[in-house]
Amino acid sequence: MTIEVRTPRWLIPLAFLFLLWNMMGVWSFAANWQMSANGYAGLPEVQRELWSAMPAWTWVAFGFAVACGTGGAIALLARSRFAVPLFLISLVAILIQFSWPIFMTDAFAKMGMDLITFPIILAVVGAIQWLLARNWRARGWLK
């Protein structure tokens, strides 16, 4: 006799919201990667300094964050256990990506909380996605 684990009806709509959130990250990555000279010139001076000095590894972390976050959301939609490691990689990549401007430059002294507000939101959402996927895998909702 096997016990069937029922997946709650709200799991798929929430996974779809996670996918939309992560697709906005993909759009942000593409838009930032392809920023024109006019777009760059329109940034505040501190942000122009950050963009011009941003090391390649932060771009790699940015790419991993959005790719793994999107992959994690797709895995949730498929009810796959692979959502858990993908969301974890995304969260770690978010932390790595923002470690440079926050801890390795003087941008915080110039921008204050404006510098860290959005990275905090991203890290919190990333942590929520990972923790929920872990919980759902433990409940047997992900295969």
Side-chain angles (χ1 to χ4, degrees):
M1 179 174 177
T2 61
I3 298 173
E4 185 177 324
V5 178
R6 285 188 160 260
T7 304
R9 292 181 188 186
W10 51 261
L11 189 139
I12 297 301
L14 187 56
F16 185 71
L17 288 176
F18 287 164
L19 179 61
L20 290 176
W21 170 261
N22 283 285
M23 291 303 295
M24 287 190 301
V26 170
W27 175 85
S28 177
F29 178 83
N32 285 299
W33 184 264
Q34 299 175 10
M35 188 180 301
S36 69
N38 286 339
Y40 182 77
L43 294 174
E45 181 181 349
V46 176
Q47 288 182 344
R48 280 195 311 268
E49 290 172 6
L50 285 172
W51 282 112
S52 65
M54 193 158 67
W57 59 266
T58 60
W59 283 104
V60 171
F62 191 177
F64 267 94
V66 299
C68 290
T70 301
I74 291 168
L76 275 185
L77 284 169
R79 296 182 47 211
S80 168
R81 62 186 166 83
F82 292 111
V84 177
L86 287 168
F87 281 139
L88 179 58
I89 293 167
S90 178
L91 175 58
V92 170
I94 290 167
L95 298 175
I96 291 169
Q97 174 192 357
F98 288 105
S99 66
W100 177 74
I102 294 171
F103 301 114
M104 299 175 201
T105 71
D106 65 346
F108 185 74
K110 294 177 182 178
M111 295 178 67
M113 289 301 289
D114 288 344
L115 176 70
I116 65 170
T117 302
F118 193 61
I120 289 172
I121 292 168
L122 293 175
V124 166
V125 171
I128 289 169
Q129 291 178 130
W130 173 60
L131 291 170
L132 285 175
R134 262 185 39 179
N135 179 278
W136 297 346
R137 181 183 63 189
R139 290 176 182 244
W141 298 346
L142 307 179
K143 306 286 182 217

